[in-house]
Every structure is written in C-alpha cells, then in structure tokens.
Amino acid sequence: MAQNFLDLALTPAVLAAQEHAYGRAAVPGQPGDRDALGPEEVAFVTARDSFYMATVSETGWPYVQHRGGPPGFVKVLGPNEIAFADLRGNRQLISTGNLAGNDRVALILVDYPRRARLKILGHARAVDRGVDPELDARFDVDRPGGRVERILRIDVVAFDWNCPQNITPRWTKSEVEAVVAPLRARIAELEGLSRG
Ligand SMILES: Cc1cc2nc3c(=O)[nH]c(=O)nc-3n(C[C@H](O)[C@H](O)[C@H](O)COP(=O)(O)O)c2cc1C
C-alpha cells in the first residue's frame, strides 16, 4: 500500500494550516521506502493518453506542462520507475531546465470516464537521445513526426489515488466513436428496412 505520499506532503506548514482550519492536524509518519507501483497503478499509467507534470524552477516557481500521446506513451520501466519521451517543442525547455536545478516532479494523471486520478511524486532526469540506445529503442525515437529529443525518467517516490469528486466524465473522440458505431450501424440497418 502507498504510504509515502502524505508523509512527504504533510509538511509543518501544511500541518499548521490544518490546525488553523480544523483545530487539529494529522499525524504524519516518517517518509520511508518508496511506494512501489502495483498492478492497478501500472495499468492506469500505461492506459493514459495525457497527464500534467509540475517542476520547480531555480527561483522557486512551480511550472506545470501538459503531456500527451497515444495510450502507452508513458512506460513503466520498473516498480519505481516510469518514463516518457520529450518531443521537440517550442525550444523553451522549461521542464528540462528546471530538472537540472531541482529534480522533483509532481504528476497528475486522470481517467475522465472512470473519474479516477492518480498523483505521483518523484525525481526526474532527462536522458538525451542517443545516450542509452536500449532506452531509445523502447520509445521509437525514429518515428516520423514529433522528434524525440530526450527521455524523461522518473524515479517514483510516492503516489496517491484521489477521490472522484469534481471530475466531470469526458470521453475521447475514439471512445465516443466506439460506443456510437453499433448505433450508427443499427440506424443504417433500420433506414434500409424502412426504404425496402
Ligand atoms: C509541433 C509540436 C508537437 C508537439 N507534440 C507533443 C506531443 O505529442 N506530446 C507532448 O507531450 N508534447 C508535445 N509537444 C510539446 C513538447 O514535446 C514538450 O511538451 C514541450 O516542449 C515541453 O516544453 P516545456 O518543458 O518548455 O514546457 C509538441 C510541441 C510542438 C511544438
């Protein structure tokens, strides 16, 4: 079971906020071993087609960026490691630059139809394309379009499942099309019958 997330998140200032608001604060444990991703987390992460990742700048500003790709674009390399390809973008390299000064990242991954979300804390490092050919091979770096410049490897330290509250269910175009296809076929069939 994941233990580490709250142990890391419940800092003295957070506990003080709880005390101020509710008159009492949670009792955090000592951050311990890293939380290992289990089968549920692995299935969830590898099914996602997008997520958000926050980094921290050397001036202390948080920075959040959206990442997207076909399901499977986030790979689980081990119980404590996930990775994804960083494509050539607008050449700002804000996330990559931030990681050079502070390797901490926070991710949020959402399954909108199921109204489930997973938060991950970890340490990330950028591995330039060409440095680790075996790693590159897992990411199809030579595919046409969207040139892969580097792989971002994230050492997962902690994760936490959020409650479904306030997640509006949304479906992607392909998910809607899969549901609508038999209805379209049935309509076409009925139209054929009524004409015949
Ligand atoms: C033409 C173009 C296509 C992109 N395609 C993707 C993409 O498919 N998935 C993705 O996560 N980011 C995509 N990006 C963005 C970059 O890969 C990357 O997220 C961005 O450069 C990160 O920069 P930052 O850390 O400075 O915010 C694309 C950017 C451009 C300009």
Side-chain angles (χ1 to χ4, degrees):
M1 195 177 77
Q3 299 281 359
N4 237 6
F5 197 94
L6 282 180
D7 295 342
L8 291 170
L10 296 179
T11 63
V14 173
L15 297 176
Q18 293 180 356
E19 184 74 39
H20 175 74
Y22 310 123
R24 63 198 177 107
V27 181
Q30 287 297 316
D33 290 341
R34 297 174 299 167
D35 291 335
L37 301 170
E40 194 183 353
E41 288 79 31
V42 171
F44 188 87
V45 166
T46 53
R48 299 282 58 80
D49 63 3
S50 70
F51 67 95
Y52 296 91
M53 182 178 83
T55 53
V56 185
S57 81
E58 60 199 312
T59 48
W61 284 101
Y63 174 77
V64 68
Q65 175 62 280
H66 172 270
R67 302 287 175 156
F73 85 108
V74 185
K75 306 209 182 296
V76 176
L77 304 184
N80 284 101
E81 192 172 27
I82 63 173
F84 63 94
D86 192 34
L87 306 179
R88 173 167 291 174
N90 55 11
R91 301 167 76 104
Q92 290 181 344
L93 294 182
I94 298 174
S95 306
T96 304
N98 284 349
L99 292 176
N102 185 339
D103 69 359
R104 290 184 176 89
V105 291
L107 279 62
I108 186 154
L109 305 92
V110 185
D111 178 339
Y112 290 95
R114 281 184 49 219
R115 302 176 71 226
R117 55 189 154 177
L118 180 67
K119 294 185 292 192
I120 291 177
L121 294 176
H123 297 283
R125 66 196 158 102
V127 181
D128 284 343
R129 173 191 170 133
V131 168
D132 182 343
E134 265 182 45
L135 184 67
D136 289 350
R138 298 193 62 170
F139 287 90
D140 192 15
V141 288
D142 292 323
R143 68 175 172 224
R147 182 185 159 82
V148 175
E149 289 191 332
R150 64 196 63 75
I151 310 295
L152 293 186
R153 299 182 73 144
I154 300 174
D155 186 12
V156 174
V157 173
F159 66 81
D160 193 30
W161 289 95
N162 260 175
C163 71
Q165 211 168 358
N166 299 321
I167 302 177
T168 305
R170 298 173 207 276
W171 286 265
T172 63
K173 191 168 173 243
S174 60
E175 285 165 343
V176 171
E177 276 168 358
V179 173
V180 168
L183 302 177
R184 282 194 205 282
R186 181 71 177 136
I187 290 168
E189 187 189 343
L190 292 173
E191 283 177 342
L193 287 176
S194 67
R195 272 198 295 272

